[in-house]
Every structure is written in structure tokens, then in C-alpha cells.
Amino acid sequence: MKTSLRKAALLGSSLTMIGAASLATVFSSTNTASADPASNTKYTPIAFNLSNLITSQVVSSSTHFEQTLKTSDGNYWVSTTSGYLIEFSGISDSAIGYIHTADQLYDGVVVPVAGSSDRLYFINQGSSNCTVVELSLSGLTFTSAGSLQYTTPKLNCVVNSSTGKALSGQSSYSIATDGTNVYLTQPSLVLNPATTRTYYNVLWEIKNANSTTTTSLAATAFILDPTETIGSAMGIYGKYAYIGGASHHIYSYLLSTLSPANNTASNPNTPNVVYSVPSNGGGFGDFQGVTTNGSSSELWFVREFNKQVGYIPIATTGSITGYDYQIGGSPNNEIESMTYDPHSGNLWIASGNVNGVPYSNVSFGYFNINALSSSVTGTSSVKTLTPTWYKTPTGVSEGADDFALYANGNPIYYFGGPTLSIKKTDSVGGIASTSSFTTTGGSTTIDSNFNFTVTVGLPTQIGNIQNRSESKTITVTDPVPSQFSLDTVSGPSGATPNWNCQINHPQNSFSCSYTPASPIAPGTTLPPITVGVKANATGSFTNTATAESEDANPVQWSDTVTVSSPATTTTTTAPPTTTPVTAPSLSTTTTTAPPTTTPVTAPSLSTTTTTAPPTTTPVTAPSLSTTTTTAPPTTTPVTVPSFSSSTTTPPTTLVPVTAPSTANPATTVPKSASQVVVPSTHTGKPWEPWSIGTWQHYWQ
């Protein structure tokens, strides 16, 4: 989209006066006028894009765009006959807001107010009881977030200063301003129907319309002579009002001499000069006052619905003859609307059906008043003037009536497309909503990788309007949240043509461009863009992808992903269980396993060593000869305390074991519950009885 700020003042029906002089030496006597100025400046008509308004069905293919006005903030407003007043950005050339008035607003003017927002005045042909309205642009607010609709401000009716009643009745007004006052013409008006049926031509004056303290709504009427019915063309040029008549005349009135005292049939306000124009043209339209390099002043006009333009040389008194040109090279029979660029000296006209419906050959042409090489002399014939023509794209113009110009001199028209679509999804469960153009509900954990997918296309229709094909390069941009590492961005492998993507790592953003090999037809979906990211922080994060082109308004889709910490897992280990081990009897020796999980080896009485198995099954010690002795049942348990200060081991039950005598197997060794007697294997004598404490000492 275009990004340069335009600062030119609107050049519509508001005219500028720079003196009055004769036009005698401006033209030579050849038959054809050369329209190109000395410079080789090239122009391109500028389209105000209606895509977002078509999407919301504010405008349609039958919308009539009437008057384009530029306000002091650099934006543009256009009135429509369907009740909408639309604001366009002077930077992006797209609609940024609208007011729904439910009226039919036609011609209008903008009046700057020092230190405040401008005021707009419009002819309201949708009402017979309030035919001129005033609208202040101060304090406009949107009806809701994200909406383009402004809360409808009050439209004030302009009233008759004598009666206090709103101007009404005949609606074929024309309107103009000198920047301070606003002027209106009204033909065939019955000023006092109760007393007379006499019809008058009236010029209304709204005094001090630029007041900073009050809103000026009172209009004073001045009855005009002649008796000829005036038309709907009027312009203010310097100190004079120029009003077109129905019979090929133009009348000039010195504004300072108009008086309500002359509001009678016998003493009307009379014109200073009556200009005659050849009668072989159409009605007058769009008066434009100009000043040539030679300081001569002229009033130019179009002959509406005809292929002619004309001018009159400005004079202060007398009867002056004006001139006509036949327009050459016009793509269409209809010529309507004229706008003047004082910076270049160009006069622009529009050719074709410029009143609002799509037309395949709407064109703009200009000729330069300082480079004309011929003129009309006399009234017997009409000479040819051929402007330099610029066509708008085939079949896309939605209107150009009463157009304005940019600072670079390019004319403005309205353009209905194409319209892009965009959708952004994620690989972590997000749910897309086509009504809100958002994807929500996606979730993942920190340090995880996932993808976004961006898909761009051209819808078949937008509302009730068929979409148009796209031949310009489409661009997708996306500033990714800093909490996501932007790793990869690309279109699908092998797609032709494909997206050309680049990552801007310092800004953590990316851009992709798609240049079609041929126009993209409505209903086409382009290859998807895959965006690989890594989540680096917890929280809920939203990023928005935008698609646009040189002739398509931006469209957006947002995706919100929630990032959380991973779940924590706790593992509990059960302590080991120690199983008591009963040592087998080895002849005359009783061995008890130590309180550990390690198997215990019982000492051998000869050369044989027997190891206790690591099970809980009782172990039978082998006999030293052929006799096997089994340990008797448990008597009194003996508890051995733990031998470690750091590990608690379940107590071990010690069972007294009686070993048979090696000398006399029939002899039984007496025993008690508190001591164990074991014969010595060295002397054959019994060991001294040990107490429990002695056992403890032994093991230590």
C-alpha cells in the first residue's frame, strides 16, 4: 500500500481568487490545443480501496460516490447517496471509518475551524424538510472496538435566518465556500407561499461558518435577477459568486453588494457581468477559477453529459462571450467533473460513468492552462482540445464523481478489490473461528517446539459482490512474541511459485512475499506458510499475521497459545526388608546368622565348611558322622541389637541349639534359657558359660 502522506488542499467546488484581468493574449488562433505541459510528469490515478467496506456490506457495486472532500488532518471524506459518509486515510488510501446517516448526501464542502475539527456541509437530497445539513467532525468515536462505524453524530439542519425554519422544498441546490462563509443556490423558490406564488432564484449565505465559538446554521436569502432560471452550477471565485443559468449564460455577483433589502420582485440583486456561452453544449458543471502564468483569470467548466469543456475570461463589468472546446480522444461520450491543481496548472476531467457503478473505461484526462497552443475565437465553431488520458484498471472503478486530487496531482477514484483472506492456526490444539478471525485454545509446555501455519487466498465473493483477481505481489508479515524463538519460515517444498520468506531475528519477526506468475483467480488458496517456533516462557501469548498487496487492503488473523511448565513426577523407594536367618547346627557348635542381608557361613568342626542358604527355610546341619541333628523348637528368643548407627535392621531371633557330644552320644548337656554351653573343639573341655553380654562382645 502507499505510505506517503498527502498534504494537498481539496480542490473541489471551493475556488481561490487571485485577481481579475483580460484573457486577450492567452490563446493563439490554431485549431487544435496541445494539452501536455512543458514537464514530462507522469500520473497514475489513485484508488481508494473499498475492500473492508464491501466485506462489511457498507457499500455495494451500485453505491453512488458523490463528493470527495479533503479535511485539515489529511484524510478524505466521501458522501454517498445510500446514506453513508465514509472517511479514508490519506496515508493508506483505505477506509478507516464511516457514519451512517440514512440520508442521501450529494454535493458538499469542508470548512476549516481554527484549533478544532473541520465542519462539513452537504446537500441532503434524501429529505424535503432538511435539505442542507451541517456535521462537525469533532469528538467522533467508534461504536465498538474493532468497528469502522462511528457513533452517528448529530446532523444539524441549516435554517432560514428570517423564519428559523429549516431550508426545505426545492432540492436542486449547488454549494460552495470561500473558506469563511458557505453559499447555496436554490432556483424557483417560493419565499412566501401564503402571500404570493412568485418564483425566485435565491443565493443563500451562511455567515461565519468557520466560527470557533458557535455553529453557524442560519442562512440569509438574496433574491437574484435575472428571471432566467438558474441551474445547479455555482462557484465562489475571489469576491464573486458565479452562477450558471439554464440558457447558456453565467452570471457573476459581487458578494459584498448583495442585500436582503433587494429581496423584492421589483428590486432584485442584479449581476455585475453576464457571460454568454455557445449554445451547442450541455449544462454547466463544476466551475473552476484559475489564474494563468500571465496573471489572467479564467473560469473553466465542463458541459455535463457532453464531450465539451469551456471557459469565460473574467471581467468586472459588461457582457462577455465565453468559449467551448470539443474534447478529443475521450474514451467515452460522457464528460463529468472538473478539478484544478494550482501547483501544476492542470485541469483534470473525468470521462465515463463516474457516478458510482463499476465501469470498464473510467478515465481521467488533464490539460495545462499554461501550455495551450490554441483557443476558440468567436462562437461559430468549437475547436478541439485533446487532454492526456489515464485509464483506471478495467472493470474496477466504483466511482469518481466530484473527485479530488493528491499533492502529487493524481486524481482519486474508488476501487472495490481484490479482497484477500488469511487464516492462522497452530499445531498445539488451537481452534480457529472464522467469525472473529482468531485461533484460541492452543497449549504447550516450556522448551517445546511447535508450528504455526498461515494460509492466504482470495474468496470467491465478499458479501454480494464478486471478488476480483489479484496480479500484484502479496506480502505476509508477522511480529512473533519475544517469548517464542523464531526458528524456521517457509512455504511447502516444490511449490511453484512459492513464498519467498525472510526472518528478522533482531525483531523476532518474519515476512513472506508471493509474486503470481499469472493473475490469481477468486476462489484460489495459496500454498501455506509453515512457521517453526520454540516456547521459552510461560504465559498466554498472541501474535497476528497480516496479508496485503498494493491493491488489496490488509487482512489479519490472530493466534493465542498458552505455555505452561511441565508436570513434576515424585518417586518413593521402599526401604529394604531383612529376613531372619536360622543357622544350622554343626555337630557341637550352634551358629546364628548375623543381622544382615548377607548370607552367613557357619564354621566347620573339621575340614568341612557348610554355608547357610539365603532363604527363610530352616537349614538342617549335616552330621559329622552319619547322624543328623535337627534343631529343637524355639524356646526363649534372644534379641541381638543393631550393630550400625545408620541402618536399622529388624531384630534377629536366636534359637538355642543342643549339639550332641562327640565322646558320649547318649549324654545330654544341660542348658538353661539364658546361656549356651558349647564343648571346646581343642581341649575337649566344655567352654565357660557366656552371658548374653558375652555374645555381644563376641560379635563386636
Side-chain angles (χ1 to χ4, degrees), residues 48-50 52-54 56-60 63-71 75-89 93-101 105 120 122 135 137 140 148 150 414:
F48 275 0
N49 202 310
L50 301 168
N52 50 356
L53 297 180
I54 293 174
S56 58
Q57 300 188 31
V58 172
V59 300
S60 69
T63 299
H64 181 142
F65 298 94
E66 182 61 34
Q67 179 76 62
T68 302
L69 303 171
K70 185 174 182 180
T71 50
N75 290 337
Y76 295 81
W77 289 80
V78 61
S79 59
T80 72
T81 60
S82 56
Y84 289 94
L85 185 61
I86 304 169
E87 182 182 19
F88 288 86
S89 168
D93 307 336
S94 59
I96 58 176
Y98 66 87
I99 298 169
H100 191 195
T101 68
L105 304 180
L120 306 181
F122 284 100
L135 169 67
L137 299 180
L140 292 180
L148 290 177
Y150 290 118
Y414 297 94

Side-chain angles (χ1 to χ4, degrees), residues 25-48:
T25 61
V26 175
F27 297 121
S28 63
S29 59
T30 56
N31 290 335
T32 302
S34 173
D36 284 321
S39 68
N40 294 319
T41 303
K42 301 298 182 182
Y43 296 95
T44 301
I46 302 300
F48 275 0

Side-chain angles (χ1 to χ4, degrees), residues 313-399:
I314 298 298
T316 55
T317 59
S319 297
I320 308 297
T321 300
Y323 306 95
D324 277 347
Y325 285 116
Q326 187 73 30
I327 292 296
S330 173
N332 304 284
N333 290 329
E334 182 178 328
I335 299 294
E336 185 175 359
S337 302
M338 176 181 283
T339 300
Y340 177 55
D341 180 7
H343 303 290
S344 64
N346 291 337
L347 273 166
W348 286 86
I349 57 176
S351 173
N353 187 353
V354 298
N355 283 320
V357 298
Y359 198 82
S360 60
N361 288 316
V362 171
S363 300
F364 295 96
Y366 78 88
F367 54 93
N368 190 275
I369 60 171
N370 296 309
L372 293 174
S373 58
S374 66
S375 65
V376 176
T377 57
T379 60
S380 59
S381 63
V382 176
K383 308 304 179 184
T384 299
L385 187 155
T386 302
T388 300
W389 292 103
Y390 294 93
K391 292 184 179 181
T392 61
T394 301
V396 300
S397 174
E398 297 287 350

